[in-house]
Amino acid sequence: MRSINKFPIALAVLLLIFASTFAVSAQVKMAKENFGKTPDGQQVELFTLTNKNGMEARIMDYGGIVVSLKVPDRTGKLDDVVLGLNTLDDYLKGHPYFGALIGRYGNRIAKGRFTLNGVEYKLAVNNGENHLHGGIKGFDKQVWNAKFVKTAKGEVSLVLTYLSKDGEEGYPGNLNVTVVYTLTNNNELKIDYTATTDKDTVINLTHHSYFNLKGEGNGDILDHQLTIDANRFTPTDAGSIPTGELKSVMGGPFDFTKPTGIGARINQPDQQLQFGKGYDHNFVLNGRMGTVHLAATVFEPTTGRVMEVLTTEPGIQFYTGNFLDGTLTGKSGKVYQQRYGFCLETQHFPDSPNQPKFPTTTLRKGKTMNSTTIYRFSTRK
Ligand code: GLA
């Protein structure tokens, strides 16, 4: 009798162990759907990554664009904290780099020119007289090869690869680029960049999400509290090209060394703020280049959301959505007005190919460029 009774109990225990293991791993999900076609007929897919806490990232292979990022608030409610559009057609009509991968060069190169190994290269000019974010058809407008990978830790990654051909947008060298987006179970969106070239070239890759920790479309970002671990920034001329100076932030509107409201000083009569129409500047990070260090922290008091940005890069472009003007309507039907999102674009400094004193952006033939940036989400009171 006894031995017969033991069997169902053992079975139940086994089932329970199996079910709980399965439940944990079942929460880490990946899915793929058709998102339309580009005008030249390339198929575009939308990939959904979900971690075990229910945090969700949707990323398309067109531009490596993060279309949505759902993150819990202090009560556990998920909201989409990045600006974005509803359909591929909306993206194709034009947008200010929402959620996109930027290459070959994040931010500006003065007059679209630089000299390397004694040769002058002329790049596509797409921002007044300057080259911005890789040119007319940058990495944000290319369809990348994409595939899901499960990491050793049981997390999900989307691996994107792109071959930028010698001469593309004026740059030398065939450049092989890999960008891996990983959604960790620690509520991080981690971005690993790798690139190799067959000719000496310049490179500066970044990611251009516009964040609003209240949720996309839910007002401006002026009340977000920002800390940037930077004692200096790179002031610019009226065309947003760095003057070459590394200027102290201390005591002025660029001092975010302690948590400060983004809007607290944004309208001060400061020439740099006037040039940028708000913040649109590169900060010189205090942390050591090449090792992952905390670059910035953002806290949104009403939802309790905290976003930390960690990076191996020496700089970060803080941009306050100054050029948003109410002409674009977001995913949930809300109009994006000026300053409805902010960007924290980890990077080498703008115009480095023309600034010998800035950390170099030259990538030599046969060498590998590696860079990592992490957007980490949590909450607090
Ligand atoms: C970057 C630039 C800005 C602007 C935005 C996109 O942050 O520095 O000047 O071009 O991208 O609109």
Side-chain angles (χ1 to χ4, degrees), residues 29-36 43-51 55-70 80 82-88 91 98-102 139-140 142-149 156-161 179-184 188-193 206-209 211 331 373 375 377:
K29 284 187 282 197
M30 28 189 163
K32 177 174 137 176
E33 67 196 83
N34 182 340
F35 204 50
Q43 181 64 46
V44 174
E45 311 279 357
L46 181 62
F47 298 82
T48 304
L49 290 71
T50 312
N51 75 4
M55 179 176 162
E56 180 202 273
R58 296 171 87 213
I59 304 169
M60 59 171 156
D61 47 14
Y62 175 77
I65 291 175
V66 173
V67 172
S68 71
L69 189 63
K70 289 187 184 148
D80 183 357
V82 294
L83 273 51
L85 306 172
N86 251 325
T87 65
L88 178 62
Y91 283 98
F98 285 153
L101 290 179
I102 307 295
F139 292 2
D140 59 294
Q142 303 289 352
V143 179
W144 295 59
N145 292 312
K147 65 165 196 263
F148 278 127
V149 167
V156 250
S157 293
L158 183 68
V159 179
L160 299 169
T161 54
V179 178
V180 183
Y181 281 110
T182 304
L183 186 61
T184 77
E188 297 162 325
L189 182 67
K190 182 169 174 251
I191 313 175
D192 291 299
Y193 305 87
T206 191
H207 172 79
H208 210 299
S209 273
F211 297 95
K331 290 164 276 190
T373 290
Y375 294 97
F377 295 89

Side-chain angles (χ1 to χ4, degrees), residues 96-97 107-108 132-133 208 210 280 317 319 323 345:
Y97 305 94
N107 216 281
R108 293 172 180 79
L132 174 68
H133 291 335
H208 210 299
Y210 288 66
D280 188 0
Q317 186 82 10
Y319 171 60
F323 302 123
E345 307 154 56

Side-chain angles (χ1 to χ4, degrees), residues 16 49 65 78 101 119-120 136 224 271:
L16 209 70
L49 290 71
I65 291 175
L78 293 176
L101 290 179
V119 179
E120 186 182 71
I136 295 161
H224 288 54
Q271 192 190 47

